[in-house]
Amino acid sequence: MEPQDDELIRFEAEGAAPLPPATIDGHVARDGARIWYASYGAGPAVILLHGGLGHSGNWGYQVPALVGSGRRVVLIDSRGHGRSSRDARPYSYELMAADVLAVMDELSLDKAAFVGWSDGACIALILAATVPSRVEGVFFFACNMDPSGTREFVPTPVIDRCFSRHAKDYAALSATPDDFNGFVEAVSLMMRTEPNYQAEDLGRIGVPVAIVLGEHDEFIKPEHAEYLARTIPNAEMIFLPGVSHFAPLQRPAEFNAAVLSFLDGLPS
């Protein structure tokens, strides 16, 4: 069992656990960007979508657990994040959702379950709403579906440590390593103004969804998570005790157990 890192001290210093060797990795060209992906293991496909300003390496504690459960795990760096490039157009969640479909097509994946974290959760739920035939289910962790769902930003030492790690990783991985400030500004603009899904949009989602929130999440209002769980048909609400927006890093064993329980409950 991985040790706890509630204050993200280890994450700031070292990052998450290193990813295992990939079965396949590469880039797919789509709409002005080169999107990096990697695939691990074999079995039913699970796509992990990281949070804003991060990259797929942040899932280092999740990949071995999922592969060990007999699943194929696919990682994708969102456009402009990690090893993926972008063009000059503004970020949008719909654009990044289309990038995910391009990777699925490249890997000949007709359908997958999704585990999304923050911005990655938003991308996953947009896919569930717009192309449900490609989505087995969505584990929607720590995200909002309209701007009213976010708390007023208050810096904390944990957030600062996470941001520090993101800056180091961006410099190490990006094709534009000196543009971190511009990258943060562009992603932050998207976060402030998107997504804008209404209750009627959410009410049409027909795939299995778990709405998941850490007890101490710094960014998402718990009442917004509860609203999502009420509004999406048959959605499950899961609160993770003792963790915040960074649960996959803080207490990976507990987070992984919740993910595996959700995936095991999907229709086969």
Side-chain angles (χ1 to χ4, degrees), residues 19 36 48 50 54-60 63 75-78 82-83:
L19 294 170
W36 179 88
L48 307 185
H50 63 80
H55 63 97
S56 289
N58 300 154
W59 293 114
V63 173
L75 301 182
I76 301 172
D77 281 351
S78 294
R83 306 158 193 81

Side-chain angles (χ1 to χ4, degrees), residues 20-26 37-42 67 71-73 107:
T23 310
I24 309 167
D25 64 1
Y37 63 87
S39 178
Y40 307 80
V67 170
R71 292 176 167 88
R72 178 183 184 181
V73 179
L107 294 174

Side-chain angles (χ1 to χ4, degrees), residues 43-49 66 71-76 100 104 109-116 120 124-125 127-128 132-140 207-208 259-260 262-267:
V46 183
I47 297 176
L48 307 185
L49 299 177
L66 288 164
R71 292 176 167 88
R72 178 183 184 181
V73 179
V74 175
L75 301 182
I76 301 172
V100 171
M104 292 179 72
L109 284 179
D110 292 333
K111 204 166 188 179
F114 286 85
V115 178
L125 208 60
L127 289 168
S133 63
R134 307 297 296 271
V135 180
E136 298 276 10
V138 175
F139 188 91
F140 180 95
V207 307
V259 169
L260 288 168
F262 172 74
L263 295 175
D264 287 344
L266 294 177

Side-chain angles (χ1 to χ4, degrees), residues 79 89-97 99 123 126 190 194:
R79 69 168 48 216
R89 81 189 71 191
Y91 283 102
S92 82
Y93 294 113
E94 281 79 8
L95 186 60
M96 292 193 283
D99 295 337
I123 294 166
I126 287 170
M190 176 183 68
E194 298 183 16

Side-chain angles (χ1 to χ4, degrees), residues 125-177:
L125 208 60
I126 287 170
L127 289 168
T130 57
V131 283
S133 63
R134 307 297 296 271
V135 180
E136 298 276 10
V138 175
F139 188 91
F140 180 95
F141 173 63
C143 192
N144 59 301
M145 288 305 289
D146 68 69
S148 74
T150 57
R151 298 177 183 269
E152 183 177 352
F153 177 70
V154 178
T156 69
V158 168
I159 292 171
D160 290 347
R161 290 185 194 109
C162 184
F163 189 79
S164 169
R165 182 76 250 168
H166 287 340
K168 294 173 194 172
D169 289 348
Y170 185 90
L173 298 173
S174 178
T176 55

Side-chain angles (χ1 to χ4, degrees), residues 196-207:
N196 289 288
Y197 275 57
Q198 307 301 314
E200 62 193 72
D201 305 313
L202 300 170
R204 288 193 289 266
I205 293 171
V207 307

